[in-house]
Amino acid sequence: MPIRLWDVFAAAQPDFADDFSSASLKGWGGMGGAVAEISPNGGRADGAGVLAANGEKGSGLSRSFPAEQGTYEFVFWSKPEGVSGPIGVRGGVEFYDKNGKFVHPYFYETLSGQPDAFGWYKTVVRVPRVPERAASIQIFCQLAPGSKGRVFFDDISFKSAISPLLLSMAFPLNQTAKPGDEVRMLVTRTNGERLSAAGVTARVSGPA
């Protein structure tokens, strides 16, 4: 029989992005011995960005979120100036338990590849899984300890690496679903990928 679909629900893991256009570090913490600060014209496209310098003990910024299971990507842009040292600029994702203790594994990346025409590097830290014991997730960008120079950060995001799920209701073209009826559900991703949905059903509710 022909099938007609009604989109009834979309579920996505939380995501976060900050381009510092508000010229504020509200919600951010430090990372290392020196405190990063807003640079009014230090971002991409001449907007606001974040400046980290004096990295002998490390300098940068960090932000925490409640831990939720999933696969994530942490993306940040950075523009180093005169940076030298064993590590230089890096970013990462760490996990902590309910008592604030570090939980393995962790995921770090340093700068690689070529910058754009304005000297900005895009770095992607991929998180394939979140540890079961994790209660919080911390993302950070940093001029690593022992480094010299300074670096600007901008356009930071942390989001699911999996396309959101779209749950659709399916029943024959000429059939009317009544309260109490059971209808079959189809599950797809918003990128069009069809997922197995064997046995997924829902019961229609509402006034008779």
Side-chain angles (χ1 to χ4, degrees):
M1 286 187 182
I3 295 295
R4 182 162 46 186
L5 303 182
W6 284 260
D7 297 332
V8 294
F9 180 74
Q13 289 174 294
D15 60 44
F16 165 81
D18 195 345
D19 62 3
F20 303 102
S21 57
S22 64
S24 170
L25 286 176
K26 183 178 180 180
W28 291 94
M31 188 70 186
V35 178
E37 59 187 33
I38 286 289
S39 176
N41 301 109
R44 301 173 69 210
D46 295 325
V50 177
L51 171 63
N54 303 319
E56 288 301 318
K57 293 184 179 180
S59 175
L61 68 165
S62 63
R63 193 177 188 109
S64 295
F65 307 90
E68 294 192 26
Q69 292 299 311
T71 301
Y72 295 91
E73 284 187 352
F74 169 42
V75 178
F76 66 94
W77 289 78
S78 61
K79 183 178 182 179
E81 294 184 349
V83 171
S84 63
I87 298 177
V89 180
R90 69 175 180 177
V93 180
E94 298 178 336
F95 308 100
Y96 296 86
D97 67 15
K98 62 182 182 180
N99 298 314
K101 293 184 178 180
F102 181 77
V103 177
H104 285 278
Y106 54 83
F107 303 95
Y108 297 157
E109 293 289 348
T110 56
L111 298 194
S112 62
Q114 297 297 316
D116 66 14
F118 302 98
W120 288 89
Y121 290 80
K122 181 181 180 180
T123 302
V124 180
V125 182
R126 292 181 171 83
V127 180
R129 65 184 180 88
V130 174
E132 290 290 340
R133 293 194 299 116
S136 64
I137 299 173
Q138 178 179 267
I139 61 174
F140 72 89
C141 305
Q142 181 186 45
L143 183 61
S147 302
K148 295 182 179 180
R150 65 180 190 170
V151 59
F152 295 91
F153 294 110
D154 199 5
D155 292 336
I156 297 173
S157 65
F158 181 67
K159 60 183 180 179
S160 171
I162 300 177
S163 300
L165 296 181
L166 186 66
L167 194 61
S168 301
M169 186 167 57
F171 50 88
L173 184 65
N174 298 319
Q175 179 179 326
T176 301
K178 304 181 298 297
D181 286 352
E182 201 171 68
V183 294
R184 186 165 57 90
M185 308 303 293
L186 302 180
V187 183
T188 59
R189 295 202 185 282
T190 53
N191 63 3
E193 178 187 358
R194 175 75 176 273
L195 303 180
S196 173
V200 178
T201 60
R203 192 170 298 278
V204 177
S205 62

